[in-house]
Amino acid sequence: MASNNDAAFWRAEAERLTGENAILQARVVDLEAQVAAFSEKVATLAKLAFGEKSEKSEKSKAKEGPSGVALSEDGAGPTTRRRRGQQPGSRGHGRRDYSHLETEEEVHDVPQENRCCPECGTQYSRFDEETSEQIDWVVRVVRVIHRRPTYRKNCKCKVRGILVAPVVPKPIPKGLFTSQFLARLLVEKYVLGRPLHRIGTALAHEGLDVCDATLVANIEALSALLAPVDAAIRARNATSSHLHVDETSWKVFEKEDGLVAVGVLPVSR
């Protein structure tokens, strides 16, 4: 009797495991399909983010001769494939013209005592000169002192007793920095994208030790001055017939049927 019960138990257990096995196999097939779909998405996103590879493959390197000339598939002779870059024998664009830059001249002359013949002492005569140019990058932090002389009257007429020039206008009342400095600060922060800490470090290298909080306070003050410009830009964009949509997104983890999948959450700016 006990053996019959055991046999029935194990038979039922085998049937249960067979059913679970079938369910698991179907689940595996479903998961493999999801993995293939996600792999295709990752490959597409990677291609969009990084583009095509610019490096030469091993196959293309093997088809290149010792002098850099591209060979045909069989390696017997050169191919007609055009190489990248400027082609041999083609006309170049020449040097760029920098004559619009502020120019300073430096004269490097032969000392007066060396402008004579070392044997007879006859003086050399000047007939021409050699010139060359370089581009210098000068960054200066300058302390500007505004002096306003005061004058008092020396008569008894009923006029102003003291004369003094008007106060120099400042973009920020009682501010330390000039309008040119503040404009350069905005360009460094919002056009070049440099963090304020790095801007402060760069200023320190030029001799100006300024804390990050001071730079932040000046930018906050400038935001109030630029509020009308910001309002005008927003009004113009609202009436424009063409808008650029920001495609910035955040990668998030989302559960799908018990699985954790990588998704993309759009962000509005």
Side-chain angles (χ1 to χ4, degrees):
M1 190 68 171
S3 59
N4 292 335
N5 292 335
D6 292 342
F9 171 77
W10 290 116
R11 189 179 299 107
E13 189 69 14
E15 293 177 355
R16 184 183 65 82
L17 293 177
T18 301
E20 290 183 357
N21 186 29
I23 296 175
L24 291 176
Q25 287 181 355
R27 186 61 173 169
V28 168
V29 173
D30 185 26
L31 292 177
E32 289 179 348
Q34 293 187 28
V35 169
F38 290 142
S39 299
E40 184 177 355
K41 289 182 180 179
V42 170
T44 303
L45 294 175
K47 185 177 180 180
L48 293 176
F50 303 105
E52 299 292 342
K53 295 189 297 182
S54 61
E55 295 82 0
K56 294 182 179 179
S57 62
E58 295 297 331
K59 181 178 180 180
S60 62
K61 289 182 179 179
K63 296 301 181 181
E64 188 175 274
S67 60
V69 179
L71 301 179
S72 58
E73 291 296 332
D74 56 0
T79 182
T80 58
R81 180 173 60 88
R82 184 178 182 272
R83 298 188 60 185
R84 297 180 61 183
Q86 185 174 351
Q87 304 303 306
S90 61
R91 183 179 179 181
H93 53 75
R95 285 196 172 188
R96 296 186 179 182
D97 183 20
Y98 299 107
S99 58
H100 62 282
L101 297 177
E102 181 181 352
T103 303
E104 296 180 358
E105 292 188 359
E106 295 183 2
V107 179
H108 307 275
D109 205 347
V110 180
Q112 181 66 35
E113 60 273 12
N114 295 338
R115 301 179 196 171
C116 60
C117 177
E119 295 185 1
C120 65
T122 303
Q123 290 287 330
Y124 282 74
S125 60
R126 180 173 177 176
F127 71 99
D128 201 354
E129 67 179 6
E130 296 181 1
T131 60
S132 61
E133 69 176 38
Q134 289 181 306
I135 304 298
D136 194 11
W137 188 357
V138 179
V139 180
R140 297 191 308 159
V141 179
V142 181
R143 183 171 65 105
V144 180
I145 299 178
H146 300 280
R147 301 184 184 275
R148 297 185 297 142
T150 57
Y151 302 87
R152 64 181 180 182
K153 68 177 183 178
N154 294 319
C155 63
K156 296 183 179 180
C157 300
K158 295 182 179 180
V159 294
R160 293 183 57 182
I162 298 177
L163 296 178
V164 63
V167 178
V168 178
K170 295 182 179 181
I172 300 177
K174 297 183 180 180
L176 178 63
F177 304 123
T178 64
S179 57
Q180 292 87 347
F181 183 99
L182 296 174
R184 178 65 180 270
L185 177 62
L186 292 178
V187 170
E188 291 281 340
K189 179 65 176 67
Y190 296 105
V191 178
L192 303 182
R194 299 178 67 183
L196 287 177
H197 178 70
R198 294 186 180 179
I199 297 176
T201 303
L203 292 173
H205 280 288
E206 302 301 329
L208 178 62
D209 187 9
V210 57
C211 64
D212 297 346
T214 301
L215 299 179
V216 171
N218 280 270
I219 289 182
E220 290 179 349
L222 290 175
S223 64
L225 294 177
L226 297 177
V229 179
D230 177 71
I233 293 175
R234 293 176 182 271
R236 193 267 180 189
N237 291 342
T239 58
S240 177
S241 60
H242 180 76
L243 298 177
H244 291 278
V245 179
D246 191 351
E247 297 180 354
T248 304
S249 58
W250 289 341
K251 292 184 177 181
V252 298
F253 291 96
E254 181 181 1
K255 290 185 177 181
E256 288 188 3
D257 298 333
L259 296 178
V260 178
V262 179
V264 176
L265 178 65
V267 178
S268 299
R269 286 189 176 181

